[in-house]
Amino acid sequence: MLTPSKIIEIFVKVDDFCKEFEDEIVKYQLETANHKVRNRKASLSDSELITILIAFHSGHFTNLKHFYLCCICAHYKDYSPGLVSYSRFVELEQRVAAPMMLFLKTNCLGQSRGINFIDSTHIKACHNRRIHNHKVFASVAERGQCSIGWFYGFKLHLIINDKGEILSFYLTKGNVDDRNIKVMTSMTQDIFGKLFGDKGYISKALADLLWGNGIQMITKPRKNMKDFNISQADKIMLRKRASSNVSTTN
């Protein structure tokens, strides 16, 4: 768990970012002459929400509810007197989805050290039985397929280094292939060295493109393919990728 001084340090950085973000949003808001825009402030600010979420992912907790109730509410109430119930906290999370993603993209990314891991995870918009009735993301979500079957929603593509630091991430529709050239080109701009992935990233065109940019794509071969000339060190890194659960979860 992060120390109080470290949490305060994170909050200061997040709060400065949120103020700049809000100022920029106001510049591009559409004028509403005949309608009043409701902009009520929650008792828990966006900066506090983002700080709590970052603190959760920076510690050893695996359950957000337990972390919020037993750690934040129990030991940090003096730092944030506007704490709400856990159910209300979950409702407020959606408010900070965009600013938190931008903050992570601009302030929290690590640096490539030559050893990189890539994977993707599905983000369901709804249960498969409710796809035809779903309206919230009807214009942006798509059906896709992953290792556990079909789903309706989005995909989160992620690259980390050997220290577990996030190097790049990309959110796409559910039907976007992991080997999509546009996505991979964008994500690997600041990557160099070796990039370890699963069998879903096997593509000669992608491997040639990355090789031209100084990146060696390394994956396990499929059963119907001839064995690649993979060094023992690379085989160990592929096993490390699998055993350390590089794949993100919902």
Side-chain angles (χ1 to χ4, degrees), residues 198-211:
D198 58 25
K199 298 176 183 178
Y201 292 93
I202 295 177
S203 168
K204 187 178 185 305
L206 176 61
D208 292 341
L209 174 67
L210 295 176
W211 182 260

Side-chain angles (χ1 to χ4, degrees), residues 75-111:
H75 303 288
Y76 291 90
K77 198 164 187 177
D78 293 339
Y79 295 91
S80 183
L83 288 175
V84 296
S85 65
Y86 176 72
S87 58
R88 179 57 178 161
F89 177 82
V90 174
E91 292 176 356
L92 293 175
E93 280 186 283
Q94 60 182 337
R95 292 169 57 108
V96 299
M100 182 174 179
M101 184 173 294
L102 289 173
F103 176 76
L104 295 176
K105 194 77 171 180
T106 56
N107 293 273
C108 299
L109 297 183
Q111 294 183 342

Side-chain angles (χ1 to χ4, degrees), residues 95-148:
R95 292 169 57 108
V96 299
M100 182 174 179
M101 184 173 294
L102 289 173
F103 176 76
L104 295 176
K105 194 77 171 180
T106 56
N107 293 273
C108 299
L109 297 183
Q111 294 183 342
S112 177
R113 293 152 47 92
I115 302 296
N116 315 284
F117 303 92
I118 186 170
D119 208 343
S120 67
T121 186
H122 66 288
I123 302 177
K124 290 184 179 180
C126 67
H127 192 278
N128 287 346
R129 294 182 180 179
R130 300 188 177 92
I131 293 177
H132 298 291
N133 297 326
H134 186 78
K135 297 181 180 180
V136 178
F137 296 106
S139 59
V140 290
E142 294 288 350
R143 293 192 186 191
Q145 190 177 24
C146 61
S147 58
I148 63 172

